[in-house]
Each structure stands twice: as C-alpha cells, then as structure tokens.
Amino acid sequence: MSERLVVIGSQWGDEGKGKITDYFACRADMVVRYQGGNNAGHTVVFGGHKYSLQSIPSGIFNPATVNVMGNGMVVNPVSVIAELEKLHRQGVTDYQLRISDRAAMVMPWHSVLDGAYECRKGEALIGTTKKGIGPAYSDKYSRIGLRMGDLLEPDYFALRLRAALDVKNQELRMLGLDEFSFDDVYASYMEIARQIGHMICDTSDLINEACNTPGKKILFEGAQGMMLCIDHGTYPYVTSSTPSAASVPVGAGIAPKWVENVVGVAKSYCTRVGEGPFPTEIFGDTANEIRERGHEYGTVTGRPRRIGWLDAVVARYTGRLAGIDYWALMLFDVLSGLDTVKICTAYELDGTQVATPPSTISRLSRCKPVYIEMPGWKEDITGARSLADLPKAAVDYIRKIEELTGIPVGIVSVGPDRTQTILLNEKLRNF
Ligand code: IMP
C-alpha cells in the first residue's frame, strides 16, 4: 500500500505550507498540486537559499520526486515557463514535472479581466492577486475554457481558441479593453506547446498508479487556505477553488478512499492578505512587531499582510471541514518576546457567544473575539529541536491549541530552514 499525506492551509493562506511540503517532499516519490494556480506563493528555504514557487509543486528540488500539476488546477503555462527559467538560474535543473492534460488553462485575457472586474467593484473589491484565477475558473465552469491538453492538438486548439475569443473579445469590447488577436495568441501558445508540451499527460493515470504501488509516498500539496474556500470561506472574499483535503480526489483524479493523513498548516498567529473580515485582526505595535519578525509581506504581490491572534474558532471549523489529523504549527519563533499571547476561543455576535463562523460577512464582521490570554516567553527558540528545548509557556501554548481544537500538534516550526522543525508525531516522522 502506498502512503499518502495531504498538506493544506487552515487559515487565510500563507501559513508556511511551502516549508512543510518541502520537508516531506524530500522523502516523497510524488508531490501533487490539485487546486488553485499561480495565485499561490510558496517559499522554500534550504541550504541558505530562498526559493519562491507559484504554481509548481514544492517537490521540484528533489530530482527523484515526480511533481504533478493536477487537473483541478488552473495552469498558466507562461508562469510555469517563467518559474522554471528562474529555477534554472538558481541552479535547479534536474527535476520531473508533469501537467494534467485536463487542467484548465489561464489565458492572457483572464488577468486583464481579473483587474478590470476588481476596478469596477469599488469599495467591494476582493483584493485578488490579479493572476486571472477567478476568470479562468469561471470559463472552466461556463465550458468555454481551454485545457492544457488542447495544446497538444493544434487544430483542436485553434477551434477552441476561436470559440473562446468570440465570447471573450465581446466581453473585453464591452469593458472598453483591447481585444486579443487569434493569430498572436495561437502563435504564442504553439511556442509554449513546443517548450512544455512534453510535460502534459494524463496525470490521473500516473497518480493512481502511484497510489496502487506498495511503498510509494505521495504528497498532496494544497494552496491558499480553508478560510479562502469558495464554499466554506468568507464569501465573497475568497479564492475560486476549494483548498481543502476534500478537493484532492476531484483535483487529482483519484478515489476519495486514498485521502488520509491530513496535516493542517496553521500559523501560530493569523494573517490575511487582501480584503475581507478577519475577527482577530490586531493593529499597532504588537501587529507591527509580528509583521516585521515574520516577514509578513505577500510573496506574490508584496502587500503587507494583516495580522491577528490565533483563532481557535477558525481552527475548529477548518479542522472539521477538512478532516485535519494533525496541526503543523508554523512561525512559532515569531511569537518569542511578547509579554502575553492571546487565542480566540469563541466569537460574541450580537450579545451571544458563537462557536463557529457565521456564513455571511455581515454577521462575521460583527463578531467580536473572546480571548484567553497566556504568558508569553522571551527566549529565542529558533534552535529548539524537541519540546524539551522549549520554555514552559511555549509548551503551554501548544497544549492549549490541542485542548481547544481536539487535534494534536504534529509539527512545530521554529524557523524557515528545513532543520528548524520539531516533529511530535511518529506517523509523520516515518513518512
Ligand atoms: P485570487 O485567488 O487571486 O482570486 O484572490 C482572491 C483572494 O484570495 C484574495 O484575497 C487574495 O489575496 C487571496 N489569495 C489567493 N491566493 C492566496 C495565497 O496563496 N495566499 C494568501 N492569499 C491568497
């Protein structure tokens, strides 16, 4: 029997999934991304170098690992080529990458439309990454989208491109924007096919084969975070996919029975980029201190991230929705130096306590966090490699998270490097 591990973001994205995925990718035979696109920004640090990935799976640094961009993703091939070129420049030249022939393709008009729709929303803007992710998923579901496999059949690609441009150019015209010429797009995408066409295949076949092979280790790498989920997040301030373990079967093309060992990556505090309600958001000195110490600026857009205390209401909710088996508690070292630390245990909404986030942002925006306050710790913990190396107040904080969520902490990260990791769970140690 193969071993499978799913790594997902449990807050608003940017939880440190890149590091955790990379940690396990060293031993994984296959790393699969199954949703989202190049709106994700994954930072991986090792050997003193910092690498940032947007759409390519985090296993790309291990030449023995097969990296798969699954059918549930929206793939921007221009971004894939740029990411690969950047990796080449950084010396990463030996890798295996496969792209699903069924993955929706992000086309040049998608980012133009993403920006145009945002401008028109005025105060209600979502703060998207403007990578065209929403418009690409919309076209997929409107059934006018192009897919990566279309690139392999030039005549069919031409047919699909003409059909898409008929609709899209009309939309662009109505918005007063420049239209796209069939000939230009066709020529540039045929060049793209020449460069990466050999990577495009039926990835569901590959993944199923791996699932059925005894001893194979497969890592499913989620992007964004559960609170940005199109169904369960803070709608409409969300992304356009489902960043849950529940997306793995559909987005990778495997049966649900293969989904197990879900690691929910959570920062030791919370951050959010873009607009939308954020009940535990804090401002002022403590927020600034955490932002600077945690380098809390977006990897994709460079925007300063909003900062908040850890939210156990969100943790319980996302834990339940995604079936999280263990927490990976990230950026724990960033909390060192604070006099006290807070965890939100419930919300107060119009005079009553609620234990789960309400569905509308109007009610969520009225939620006031109910906190417990715990003693902080001053020690530098970046050298800690076991619980015994941590101050008592830090261990108490970890135990409190487990108590409030009913989910054990399996990993504690005390710095960006691979080695700065405390592993608390035997199953995870053996993956
Ligand atoms: P979109 O995914 O570009 O449509 O953006 C929708 C919302 O999701 C915006 O608030 C973005 O800032 C947020 N978002 C998308 N991807 C990420 C990510 O990888 N990390 C954090 N936030 C993200």
Side-chain angles (χ1 to χ4, degrees):
M1 181 71 84
S2 59
E3 284 174 55
R4 281 94 46 211
L5 193 70
V6 184
V7 174
I8 62 155
S10 65
Q11 295 159 336
W12 282 275
D14 310 317
E15 298 91 350
K17 294 178 293 295
K19 168 173 168 170
I20 293 302
T21 316
D22 169 66
Y23 185 84
F24 290 110
C26 306
R27 284 163 276 168
D29 296 290
M30 184 175 269
V31 179
V32 182
R33 267 200 60 183
Y34 55 90
Q35 47 77 226
N38 63 327
N39 49 347
H42 286 183
T43 307
V44 178
V45 180
F46 66 90
H49 296 285
K50 191 171 172 178
Y51 304 88
S52 71
L53 302 168
Q54 281 82 52
S55 52
I56 291 178
S58 297
I60 201 75
F61 305 102
N62 182 1
T65 304
V66 179
N67 290 273
V68 179
M69 298 174 71
N71 59 275
M73 289 187 76
V74 285
V75 178
N76 183 335
V78 177
S79 166
V80 173
I81 291 170
E83 285 176 64
L84 288 175
E85 281 172 353
K86 189 167 173 205
L87 287 172
H88 277 228
R89 285 197 298 278
Q90 292 180 294
V92 182
T93 50
D94 192 9
Y95 53 78
Q96 301 186 58
L97 179 63
R98 306 280 179 273
I99 306 171
S100 169
D101 49 8
R102 290 172 170 83
M105 187 155 40
V106 181
M107 300 302 288
W109 46 86
H110 289 138
S111 52
V112 175
L113 289 170
D114 207 356
Y117 294 145
E118 277 284 82
C119 287
R120 275 160 191 260
K121 286 190 184 118
E123 294 219 327
L125 72 105
I126 287 167
T128 77
T129 58
K130 299 202 179 76
K131 300 286 178 189
I133 306 302
Y137 271 118
S138 296
D139 281 0
K140 167 178 172 169
Y141 290 104
S142 304
R143 281 138 304 167
I144 54 163
L146 288 101
R147 307 208 294 185
M148 290 302 290
D150 302 351
L151 288 173
L152 304 180
E153 292 179 63
D155 291 346
Y156 183 64
F157 177 76
L159 201 78
R160 296 289 302 163
L161 179 60
R162 270 190 212 290
L165 278 177
D166 275 352
V167 179
K168 293 287 128 182
N169 274 340
Q170 194 181 12
E171 199 174 334
L172 289 161
R173 250 193 326 272
M174 275 163 38
L175 292 164
L177 297 166
D178 291 343
E179 296 178 33
F180 283 85
S181 119
F182 172 87
D183 289 342
D184 290 351
V185 179
Y186 182 81
S188 60
Y189 278 73
M190 284 302 102
E191 172 54 23
I192 285 169
R194 196 189 60 73
Q195 291 185 49
I196 58 167
H198 62 285
M199 297 177 185
I200 303 170
C201 64
D202 182 342
T203 51
S204 155
D205 228 16
L206 281 183
I207 304 167
N208 274 283
E209 196 186 314
C211 285
N212 282 297
T213 307
K216 285 275 184 206
K217 294 183 176 190
I218 310 164
L219 193 62
F220 295 96
E221 176 181 14
Q224 289 84 44
M226 280 299 296
M227 292 308 283
L228 293 172
C229 173
I230 185 84
D231 282 271
H232 302 289
T234 51
Y235 191 90
Y237 296 100
V238 290
T239 191
S240 328
S241 64
T242 300
S244 172
S247 283
V248 171
V250 177
I254 58 168
K257 69 173 180 181
W258 296 116
V259 178
E260 62 172 14
N261 296 322
V262 181
V263 177
V265 186
K267 263 180 192 159
S268 310
Y269 46 95
C270 281
T271 62
R272 176 165 200 168
V273 267
E275 308 304 315
F278 183 9
T280 62
E281 184 167 17
I282 52 170
F283 304 90
D285 290 349
T286 306
N288 293 337
E289 207 177 317
I290 293 175
R291 182 178 301 107
E292 293 314 312
R293 207 134 15 94
H295 309 291
E296 295 295 357
Y297 294 88
T299 11
V300 176
T301 58
R303 289 177 289 183
R305 294 180 184 140
R306 298 156 66 192
I307 309 288
W309 293 117
L310 189 72
D311 190 336
V313 177
V314 162
R316 279 193 299 264
Y317 177 66
T318 60
R320 167 188 103 191
L321 287 167
I324 292 171
D325 296 304
Y326 323 94
W327 295 118
L329 196 61
M330 309 305 290
L331 291 120
F332 199 43
D333 52 304
V334 171
L335 291 184
S336 290
L338 300 176
D339 292 332
T340 58
V341 283
K342 291 184 186 178
I343 305 178
C344 167
T345 56
Y347 297 152
E348 200 179 290
L349 173 61
D350 303 335
T352 355
Q353 281 213 356
V354 293
T356 184
S359 67
T360 64
I361 54 160
S362 86
R363 276 183 295 145
L364 187 56
S365 307
R366 295 205 303 278
C367 283
K368 306 246 177 336
V370 177
Y371 286 119
I372 49 162
E373 191 162 7
M374 301 176 68
W377 57 95
K378 300 285 177 189
E379 295 86 338
D380 174 0
I381 57 169
T382 53
R385 296 295 176 267
S386 74
L387 275 196
D389 299 333
L390 292 176
K392 181 178 177 304
V395 177
D396 288 348
Y397 188 75
I398 294 172
R399 295 295 178 227
K400 186 53 83 178
I401 294 168
E402 294 180 321
E403 181 194 317
L404 289 170
T405 60
I407 297 171
V409 173
I411 300 169
V412 181
S413 174
V414 291
D417 200 84
R418 273 180 191 170
T419 55
Q420 294 175 297
T421 309
I422 303 174
L423 216 57
L424 300 174
N425 180 278
E426 279 315 301
K427 210 162 177 182
L428 295 175
R429 192 185 302 280
N430 294 331
F431 180 83

